């Protein structure tokens, strides 16, 4: 079955509709997704991006940060780079993605450790 083509402008507009969240969706480990993060993963087929964020939570230099900013940047050749920082611009993680069909040129996510869960969200949901 062929994957549905996603209009990037429509997806960006859809993502802007998420402010706050009504539900939290258990993902893996102690990570939960907000409505917007789950929508992004479902709509854009981006569970792999959630996996990248989750996998880095085992690294001490990442896990100790209670607020993390995750940035995906997709290049013209469909290669991508995912970086994370501590919210103040200090890079704490970097991973090259050899290929992606992610429909947007870039995407930012926040991860906040509330003491019990690590909440992965869109910036508009913060």
């Amino acid at each position: 079955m062929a994957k549905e083509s996603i209009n990037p402008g429509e997806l960006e507009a859809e993502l802007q509709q998420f402010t706050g969240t009504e539900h939290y969706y258990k993902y893996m480990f102690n990570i939960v997704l907000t409505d917007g993060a789950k929508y992004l993963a479902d709509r854009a087929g981006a569970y792999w991006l959630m996996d990248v964020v989750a996998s880095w939570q085992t690294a001490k230099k990442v896990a100790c940060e209670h607020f993390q900013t995750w940035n995906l940047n997709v290049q013209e050749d469909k290669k991508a780079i995912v970086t994370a920082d501590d919210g103040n611009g200090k890079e704490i993680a970097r991973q090259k993605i050899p290929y992606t069909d992610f429909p947007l040129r870039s995407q930012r996510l926040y991860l906040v450790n509330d003491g019990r869960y690590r909440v992965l969200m869109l910036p508009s949901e913060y």
Side-chain angles (χ1 to χ4, degrees):
M1 180 158 110
K3 184 176 175 182
E4 173 191 350
S5 179
I6 298 172
N7 178 303
E10 286 178 13
L11 179 58
E12 286 177 343
E14 292 164 0
L15 294 175
Q16 291 174 7
Q17 302 301 311
F18 292 96
T19 57
T21 194
E22 292 183 15
H23 301 95
Y24 295 94
Y25 304 89
K26 180 131 178 67
Y27 190 56
M28 64 173 62
F29 311 125
N30 64 337
I31 296 174
V32 295
L33 305 179
T34 58
D35 291 330
K38 184 173 185 317
Y39 183 86
L40 175 67
D42 287 339
R43 180 86 164 91
Y47 279 98
W48 64 269
L49 179 57
M50 309 305 151
D51 290 347
V52 168
V53 175
S55 69
W56 276 97
Q57 300 309 305
T58 61
K60 287 182 183 180
K61 70 179 180 179
V62 175
C64 71
E65 297 296 338
H66 290 280
F67 181 88
Q68 303 166 21
T69 301
W70 288 85
N71 296 291
L72 168 68
N73 290 297
V74 180
Q75 302 162 359
E76 289 292 330
D77 61 2
K78 298 294 189 179
K79 293 179 182 177
I81 297 177
V82 178
T83 58
D85 68 54
D86 64 358
N88 293 314
K90 179 184 172 196
E91 188 172 295
I92 57 174
R94 174 179 288 267
Q95 183 169 332
K96 293 179 182 178
I97 307 299
Y99 173 82
T100 181
D101 59 357
F102 191 78
L104 304 177
R105 295 282 309 197
S106 65
Q107 180 62 52
R108 175 171 286 161
L109 296 168
Y110 292 159
L111 185 133
V112 178
N113 184 345
D114 73 0
R116 183 172 179 193
Y117 295 105
R118 293 178 182 264
V119 182
L120 189 57
M121 66 189 78
L122 299 176
S124 60
E125 295 176 297
Y126 183 68

